[in-house]
Amino acid sequence: MLHAIIMAGGAGTRFWPASTKDLPKQLLDLASQRTMIQETCDRLGDLVPANRTFIVTNQRLVEGIAAQLPDLPAGSIVGEPCKRDTAPCVGLAAALVAHQDPDGVMVVMPADHVIRPSSKFRSAIEFAAGLVEEAPERIVTFGIRPTYPAATYGYIERGAPLPDQGEYKTFQINQFREKPSVEVAEEYLQRGGFYWNAGIFLWKASTILQALEKFEPKMFGHIQTIAQAIGTDAFAEVLEREFAAIEGKSIDYAVMERHENRLVVEAPFEWDDVGNWSSLARLNEPDENGNIVIGRHVGVDTAGSIIRSSGQHLVATLGMQDCIIVHTPTATMVANRKDEESVRKLVEMIGERGWHEYL
């Protein structure tokens, strides 16, 4: 059976001040009236029922996620005791799936991406799950055809096409590439054969556990100890102790770059990782002056700006060009869109001043 794993532990600091430690990016409504994590669950439709869906997040977000996803059964939202990157997250999820369904197939996805239309996403997941069922040793990921030379994404270099690949273009994976410079990304775009790494994976729970045992035996040892406690009264205590002892590592480093049988499916859906405030310009219709407005706004000589307010608060602007203005009940940020990557510096400065109530 197919099980869904939604990774929801990120902080989303580039969306400060709307994104905070208690209300991070995945719990915000950035691309629609639904929050990012609600959209991620909605996207699954009837493909994966609620009782085969796990959300893996950090402990402080469990209650907030449960409030947003009331249809998920108790135990489906798992709180990591500390941040340890995606490989331990995947290992924990695989242990939970294997306990429930030893032959289970997992689709693993982030909670904070926009994917449209949902019907094409579901069709592609079914196709990839078929590839895994056909050859259980396979691990499958999705590649996004690049539309510009992005230096903020990892890349997948495709290899030989899969014979009789069926509905969607499918290839062996030659190599995973780290986030490149703009010049190298431009070369990838010109050469072709490179995809953005969407961070969506399919595999059997047993296969990914075997891969972790082979490539990361220490990590696997801790995961195995946690797995033995699933369903017992000691689970919370064992999870707290063993998970904290794991050395954090991404699933790309831990397995994807080292596994032998890897496939990439060219994604048939539109994808956006919604990495910063400027992403909203790709996801929302601008007004007649090229502004993206979410909330109440009135402006004179204001163009090319992204403006978001909360509640009934009115943002009024004069002579603002290519700016980002975000108002929340506790903080307001005004930035030049060209300087958006410095939002993290602002967050660091606020923390250094001890103003943690704003974070």
Side-chain angles (χ1 to χ4, degrees):
M1 292 185 293
L2 183 62
H3 302 252
I5 310 302
I6 299 173
M7 299 183 292
T13 53
R14 284 181 290 184
F15 279 92
W16 188 86
S19 179
T20 65
K21 59 182 180 295
D22 293 319
L23 195 70
K25 168 187 168 185
Q26 59 269 30
L27 300 187
L28 298 176
D29 54 342
L30 294 173
S32 73
Q33 298 300 310
R34 301 277 281 169
T35 67
M36 303 289 286
I37 197 167
Q38 287 173 330
E39 278 203 338
T40 303
C41 284
D42 294 346
R43 190 176 304 130
L44 291 167
D46 296 329
L47 185 62
V48 183
N51 65 352
R52 296 206 305 269
T53 299
F54 284 103
I55 312 288
V56 185
T57 185
N58 63 62
Q59 286 180 344
R60 71 183 303 143
L61 298 180
V62 169
E63 288 188 12
I65 291 174
Q68 291 199 5
L69 300 172
D71 292 337
L72 286 185
S76 292
I77 304 171
V78 182
E80 297 174 334
C82 52
K83 185 177 177 63
R84 287 295 182 268
D85 216 324
T86 54
C89 169
V90 166
L92 172 60
L96 292 165
V97 169
H99 178 79
Q100 188 181 91
D101 176 11
D103 199 41
V105 175
M106 302 164 55
V107 52
V108 181
M109 69 198 82
D112 54 2
H113 292 175
V114 169
I115 293 174
R116 296 169 178 165
S118 295
S119 58
K120 287 191 176 181
F121 171 79
R122 290 191 293 271
S123 176
I125 295 300
E126 286 185 295
F127 173 78
L131 293 174
V132 171
E133 293 284 9
E134 180 183 280
E137 70 279 6
R138 283 174 175 161
I139 57 178
V140 182
T141 189
F142 287 90
I144 309 299
R145 293 185 66 179
T147 54
Y148 65 95
T152 54
Y153 299 144
Y155 284 73
I156 299 169
E157 182 181 4
R158 76 187 190 199
L162 189 71
D164 304 320
Q165 53 190 279
E167 185 177 0
Y168 299 115
K169 295 179 181 178
T170 306
F171 302 87
Q172 302 289 339
I173 293 175
N174 268 355
Q175 192 173 356
F176 285 83
R177 304 277 187 155
E178 293 302 306
K179 296 176 182 178
S181 65
V182 173
E183 292 76 16
V184 172
E186 180 65 46
E187 180 187 340
Y188 292 168
L189 195 63
Q190 295 299 321
R191 284 171 55 187
F194 288 85
Y195 296 112
W196 291 335
N197 185 354
I200 304 171
F201 310 102
L202 277 102
W203 44 51
K204 280 190 174 289
S206 57
T207 299
I208 198 65
L209 288 170
Q210 289 166 5
L212 287 171
E213 182 178 18
K214 177 181 179 179
F215 299 121
E216 298 290 339
K218 289 185 179 179
M219 182 187 300
F220 175 79
H222 294 296
I223 295 296
Q224 189 175 40
T225 302
I226 294 169
Q228 291 167 350
I230 294 172
T232 72
D233 293 338
F235 177 71
E237 178 186 346
V238 173
L239 174 63
E240 184 88 25
R241 181 186 70 242
E242 296 295 324
F243 200 86
I246 296 174
E247 180 181 347
K249 186 173 287 189
S250 76
I251 194 64
D252 285 345
Y253 282 132
V255 174
M256 294 301 293
E257 294 185 1
R258 303 151 88 178
H259 196 74
E260 292 181 359
N261 197 335
R262 310 170 298 182
L263 297 178
V264 57
V265 176
E266 185 175 302
F269 44 78
E270 296 178 8
W271 172 89
D272 198 302
D273 78 335
V274 197
N276 53 31
W277 284 114
S278 288
S279 302
L280 301 191
R282 299 192 295 268
L283 301 170
N284 296 273
E285 286 295 323
D287 66 13
E288 63 275 13
N289 296 307
N291 299 308
I292 302 298
V293 179
I294 302 172
R296 293 198 169 186
H297 168 253
V298 61
V300 175
D301 294 331
T302 297
S305 295
I306 295 170
I307 301 155
R308 177 185 168 106
S309 66
S310 55
Q312 300 301 308
H313 186 86
L314 173 67
V315 174
T317 57
L318 294 170
M320 304 296 285
Q321 305 290 321
D322 298 322
C323 290
I324 300 169
I325 303 168
V326 182
H327 170 271
T328 74
T330 56
T332 301
M333 182 187 75
V334 181
N336 189 310
R337 286 182 65 173
K338 294 180 181 178
D339 297 329
E340 184 174 5
E341 288 303 309
S342 296
V343 171
R344 285 180 171 175
K345 291 182 182 179
L346 280 178
V347 171
E348 290 173 4
M349 290 174 65
I350 293 166
E352 289 168 357
R353 297 188 182 196
W355 296 344
H356 301 292
E357 65 272 24
Y358 299 106
L359 302 176

